[in-house]
Amino acid sequence: MSQDKQVLAGELQRHGISRRSFLKFCTSMASAMALTPAAAVEMAQKLSTIRRQSVIWLSFQECTGCTESLTRAHKPSLESLIFDFVSLDYHHTLQAASGEAAELAREQAMHENGGQYILIVDGSIPLKDGGVYSTIAGISNLDMLKDVAKDAAAIVSVGTCASFGGLPKADPNPTGAVAVADIIDDKPIINIPGCPPMPVVMSGVLAHVLTFGIPELDALGRPKAFFGDSIHDRCYRRPYYDRGEFAKSFDDEGARKGWCLYELGCKGPITHNACATIKWNNGTSFPIQSGHGCIGCSEPDFWDMGGFYKPLSTGTSNPGQWAGYALAAGAAAGLASAAVNKAAKAKADKVHQPVTIEDMGKK
Amino acid sequence: MAQLNGMQLKIEVTEPATGMAKAVARELAEHLAALAEHGRSHQVDLTSLPMSSGDKQELASLLGVGEVDITLHAMGESHIYETAFSGIWWVKHYSADEQLISELIEIASIPEIIKSPAADIELAAQALNQLIEQTDSSFDTGDDT
Amino acid sequence: MNEIELLNWARGPGLTYATIFMVFGLTLRVIEILSLGRPKELAEVRDSGVRDGWRMVIMRSLPERRNWKRITAAYLFHVGLLIVVFFFIPHTQFFRDVFGVFWNGWPNYIIDFVTVVSIAAMLYTLAQRLFDPARRILTTIPDYLAWLVTFLPFVTGYMAFHRLGVDYTLMLALHILSVELLMIALPISKLTHAVTFAMSRWYLGSNNGRRGIHV
């Protein structure tokens, strides 16, 4: 009994979460991550025997949408179970304590679990003007991130802001916002982008980190299990794209027939996420299914792709306007050059002397 | 109804079968043979297979229904039944808001999730003894008066 | 710089720079050429040359019987290029965005077929330059470069459409960048013929006509 206190399973059971719920959770996580069902059993065994993992969650320039996505299901969702597997020692939106007591909790967790805690970050970090644009308890985001990251075992960047800079970084980036990975380079960092990220992706990755360690990542630090395919590759409307059947407006025949949304600005072809397969709200739907193109929210700089409704094959700026200026400048340069050439020609004409037969006979 | 037609709603029907059911059935047969011979159990995750709803219906009718039907109450219900083929179990996990979260076929003498975990049994034995002791003492006091 | 940043650069600043360079360069060159006028005729002019000018424009656009293989390849490539550039559906979106004019694109399978044919035709013309001794002598490095910058958009576009090789995002970025390279090459290479071919043919034909050579 006493040793049971140490491990997760016993503790959870006292909270009414049975081992079977546990296994069920792991089965759905493993399925979402395309792990074998056998891995689910292994995951459940590991989860039940580990100690509660200390987690410090730092929220910087963010909108709390990421936390909402994970916690605000109508009924206690399976995804939010992940919160029962960890000891969330600091999360200033969710924790009861505030002010100095909250910061004290953070320092205590850092002290007690040095080198072992997982740091979760949502939101970007402003660097401009000494980072004054976002502070917590008088500490700039930059300083707090560096301080907490120092003794973290791993860092999970939740949401596009923490992963790539997101909305705060959108042109012209007034606060000089950057991603976590732009500051920290000596710790393993997992990026879980999305605006917000899918709940099952967050909990799935966390469950993987707790049991099997850091999952396989792509070049942008995203877990391949969820971000390996593009929305376009997995889209149920893909056959319409291949056949060249496109909706031209949100209210035309094609839109009603559920044709491809490429011409309405869908960013599916360049966006990597699991929306098309796992879908949102427990598998109910995802943007394309409800008739709106993908906005590319799990990719860097998705706010600066020229607009959500501009097709991918168009420019993000307005080259037509520049073409007008270039035409005028080209014409001016052409006329100037013509004048120079004409002068040269006139000069040549002036010195031209006709050659006669007599001239040719001269020695 | 006339109004509905006017709205030009797209009505989803069962997707046609693609022949996946046969392929899955063949895989199940192999694993069932392995279970019979070596006692090796296995699980097939239907959620991650590219099966249409038609394929799933085809597979379900192919496998039939056996004698055991179990409902599990753990963070939402789970419906588990043994197919007409002993050792092949169809497992559907639902969340608390009744959404299907995962679906698998288990080839085992009993599905993993049904087995009572050893640690739980140990705890239960202690708890039951405790309960008996408590009730005993209450009976004792009852006798004394 | 990651793939998305590269793509955003190609679709944004890259496209703007390339457009400015191309439009400026082509306008400058066309005006310059036109302003040069004719050289002073030292012999008696025998004909206005207008008819011969138009004849040349048409004649040079018609296939000639010699070397039908090369002519066919050249035709397939040029017609293919026009079809792919102007009738691939995503391209029509681009032109609508820039010019505000919209026309219907053609089905993908046609564009796909035309692309393959065009690529094959270009490879054939390259092989001719490489293996025919006479052409080999005549071909200079700029000729090969002109071929390359025309060939790259085809190949990158084909690979992007079929998700071949690298990730689609990177391939799309490379495709757009290759087109921008072509746009930059247009005013500074022999590829200027894309806009000057008709007027240079007319000039040649009318010059001949004025001197009494009627083809």
Side-chain angles (χ1 to χ4, degrees):
Chain A
M1 276 295 271
S2 61
Q3 75 189 46
D4 211 65
K5 245 180 194 154
Q6 303 291 323
V7 299
L8 210 48
E11 204 175 328
L12 288 177
Q13 246 161 350
R14 274 189 293 281
H15 289 98
I17 297 161
S18 70
R19 284 177 210 267
R20 289 198 180 98
S21 308
F22 214 65
L23 182 56
K24 203 164 147 174
F25 168 84
C26 294
T27 304
S28 74
M29 290 301 126
S31 171
M33 279 186 284
L35 299 173
T36 62
V41 179
E42 199 185 333
M43 189 188 261
Q45 274 163 0
K46 282 194 171 166
L47 269 180
S48 64
T49 51
I50 57 169
R51 288 188 56 202
R52 260 175 185 256
Q53 170 72 48
S54 169
V55 169
I56 296 177
W57 184 311
L58 298 179
S59 299
F60 296 143
Q61 287 193 130
E62 47 85 45
C63 67
T64 317
C66 299
T67 305
E68 291 278 337
S69 172
L70 193 51
T71 58
R72 296 296 167 118
H74 287 296
K75 291 181 189 173
S77 69
L78 218 52
E79 287 92 47
S80 59
L81 246 188
I82 193 73
F83 281 126
D84 295 306
F85 299 165
V86 298
S87 167
L88 196 55
D89 293 328
Y90 178 84
H91 184 306
H92 66 213
T93 314
L94 298 179
Q95 73 194 135
S98 62
E100 282 171 10
E103 298 311 308
L104 201 67
R106 176 173 61 80
E107 278 157 25
Q108 200 177 341
M110 284 167 63
H111 182 71
E112 283 172 8
N113 307 293
Q116 278 161 21
Y117 58 84
I118 290 175
L119 168 60
I120 299 181
V121 181
D122 66 332
S124 63
I125 302 98
L127 296 184
K128 212 168 168 184
D129 301 327
V132 296
Y133 298 108
S134 179
T135 61
I136 298 163
I139 306 163
S140 77
N141 291 170
L142 178 64
D143 289 342
M144 190 179 278
L145 175 65
K146 280 184 174 167
D147 187 34
V148 182
K150 200 170 61 218
D151 289 328
I155 301 175
V156 181
S157 293
V158 158
T160 305
C161 296
S163 300
F164 307 129
L167 172 59
K169 196 195 162 202
D171 189 51
N173 192 1
T175 65
V178 298
V180 172
D182 293 330
I183 295 167
I184 308 297
D185 54 9
D186 57 348
K187 296 281 174 186
I189 299 176
I190 304 167
N191 287 333
I192 310 180
C195 195
M198 306 189 74
V200 68
V201 175
M202 287 188 268
S203 49
V205 171
L206 286 177
H208 196 286
V209 171
L210 293 180
T211 50
F212 303 123
I214 290 170
E216 199 188 344
L217 306 175
D218 72 4
L220 291 174
R222 304 176 291 197
K224 278 187 179 168
F226 294 108
F227 298 93
D229 291 319
S230 76
I231 299 294
H232 186 69
D233 289 337
R234 295 281 168 179
C235 183
Y236 76 104
R237 296 195 188 200
R238 177 70 187 268
Y240 295 109
Y241 172 88
D242 292 334
R243 281 201 296 271
E245 293 175 331
F246 299 98
K248 312 270 181 203
S249 84
F250 285 110
D251 195 31
D252 70 351
E253 182 80 22
R256 275 193 284 269
K257 282 185 177 161
W259 286 359
C260 177
L261 299 163
Y262 183 91
E263 293 190 5
L264 294 171
C266 182
K267 304 293 182 295
I270 59 161
T271 305
H272 299 79
N273 208 338
C275 308
T277 40
I278 297 174
K279 301 187 181 174
W280 290 79
N281 297 321
N282 291 318
T284 309
S285 184
F286 72 113
I288 292 169
Q289 201 172 338
S290 56
H292 192 287
C294 168
I295 62 171
C297 79
S298 56
E299 296 294 333
D301 299 330
F302 76 101
W303 284 94
D304 295 321
M305 289 182 183
F308 295 158
Y309 304 101
K310 263 196 131 186
L312 257 182
S313 60
T314 62
T316 57
S317 53
N318 186 358
Q321 179 201 337
W322 287 102
Y325 297 142
L327 190 78
L335 291 174
S337 160
V340 171
N341 289 339
K342 201 159 191 176
K345 212 169 152 186
K347 206 170 152 195
D349 280 346
K350 215 186 253 169
V351 297
H352 176 81
Q353 288 180 351
V355 183
T356 59
I357 300 279
E358 290 81 60
D359 291 337
M360 286 178 149
K362 279 182 195 163
K363 285 269 159 118
Chain B
M1 208 48 208
Q3 266 180 320
L4 277 181
N5 285 337
M7 285 167 70
Q8 289 186 304
L9 285 173
K10 203 185 168 202
I11 293 154
E12 298 266 351
V13 288
T14 309
E15 303 145 23
T18 61
M20 255 320 261
K22 271 257 170 65
V24 175
R26 237 173 255 134
E27 192 190 335
L28 294 178
E30 267 175 44
H31 291 301
L32 197 57
L35 178 67
E37 237 174 277
H38 314 289
R40 210 164 43 223
S41 58
H42 190 82
Q43 293 176 320
V44 176
D45 182 8
L46 296 183
T47 328
S48 59
L49 287 178
M51 287 181 91
S52 70
S53 51
D55 289 332
K56 272 185 197 162
Q57 272 180 15
E58 201 178 299
L59 184 64
S61 61
L62 191 81
L63 294 176
V65 179
E67 294 166 327
V68 190
D69 199 341
I70 305 169
T71 305
L72 187 77
H73 303 273
M75 299 288 293
E77 292 189 347
S78 295
H79 300 301
I80 300 164
Y81 70 90
E82 192 175 28
T83 65
F85 299 88
S86 287
I88 299 186
W89 300 79
W90 198 298
V91 183
K92 285 180 179 184
H93 292 309
Y94 291 87
S95 63
D97 43 1
E98 288 153 23
Q99 296 286 337
L100 183 67
I101 48 171
S102 60
E103 189 169 14
L104 44 135
I105 290 181
E106 261 190 81
I107 299 104
S109 53
I110 190 162
E112 188 66 33
I113 201 164
I114 298 304
K115 292 179 197 161
S116 298
D120 285 6
I121 297 172
E122 200 182 310
L123 285 173
Q126 289 171 353
L128 187 60
N129 274 328
Q130 234 170 355
L131 186 72
I132 291 167
E133 270 167 37
Q134 274 172 12
T135 46
D136 275 356
S137 60
S138 69
F139 281 137
D140 289 347
T141 47
D143 286 345
D144 282 345
T145 45
Chain C
M1 189 182 250
N2 60 48
E3 285 124 15
I4 294 278
E5 282 166 349
L6 188 68
L7 178 64
N8 282 353
W9 189 87
R11 292 177 65 211
L15 182 64
T16 303
Y17 300 149
T19 306
I20 292 173
F21 191 89
M22 178 184 76
V23 174
F24 177 86
L26 287 177
T27 315
L28 171 65
R29 282 201 68 175
V30 168
I31 291 181
E32 208 177 8
I33 292 167
L34 288 175
S35 73
L36 281 175
R38 292 177 184 284
K40 196 173 174 185
E41 292 286 355
L42 298 176
E44 189 190 339
V45 175
R46 306 188 181 184
D47 189 279
S48 75
V50 175
R51 211 174 130 265
D52 293 286
W54 287 114
R55 267 182 75 88
M56 184 71 101
V57 174
I58 295 161
M59 294 279 290
R60 286 275 164 103
S61 305
L62 293 176
E64 43 182 333
R65 232 165 264 142
R66 311 173 274 143
N67 202 347
W68 62 272
K69 277 189 209 153
R70 191 185 69 81
I71 299 296
T72 311
Y75 258 84
L76 286 176
F77 157 69
H78 279 97
V79 173
L81 177 83
L82 291 177
I83 290 175
V84 172
V85 168
F86 291 106
F87 292 99
F88 181 44
I89 291 169
H91 296 168
T92 64
Q93 291 299 310
F94 175 81
F95 292 115
R96 179 167 76 167
D97 188 56
V98 176
F99 300 113
V101 207
F102 182 69
W103 57 88
N104 278 322
W106 292 359
N108 287 338
Y109 63 89
I110 295 181
I111 301 297
D112 198 26
F113 174 74
V114 171
T115 306
V116 173
V117 170
S118 304
I119 289 177
M122 284 202 78
L123 288 174
Y124 178 77
T125 54
L126 177 70
Q128 285 233 313
R129 282 191 186 277
L130 287 175
F131 300 120
D132 180 34
R135 284 201 185 82
R136 198 157 152 186
I137 292 168
L138 290 172
T139 307
T140 59
I141 298 282
D143 289 328
Y144 287 119
L145 288 178
W147 180 90
L148 185 68
V149 295
T150 317
F151 188 66
L152 285 177
F154 270 102
V155 177
T156 52
Y158 184 82
M159 288 176 76
F161 182 77
H162 289 280
R163 308 292 190 275
L164 301 173
V166 298
D167 179 70
Y168 176 75
T169 309
L170 180 58
M171 209 66 218
L172 181 63
L174 291 178
H175 175 61
I176 296 173
L177 288 172
S178 72
V179 173
E180 284 160 9
L181 193 64
L182 175 63
M183 288 165 77
I184 287 168
L186 265 180
I188 57 169
S189 70
K190 66 174 193 173
L191 296 175
T192 312
H193 79 267
V195 292
T196 58
F197 77 100
M199 67 188 212
S200 62
R201 281 174 194 176
W202 192 89
Y203 178 78
L204 266 178
S206 72
N207 247 9
N208 290 348
R210 283 156 72 93
R211 286 163 194 174
I213 308 158
H214 307 290
V215 184

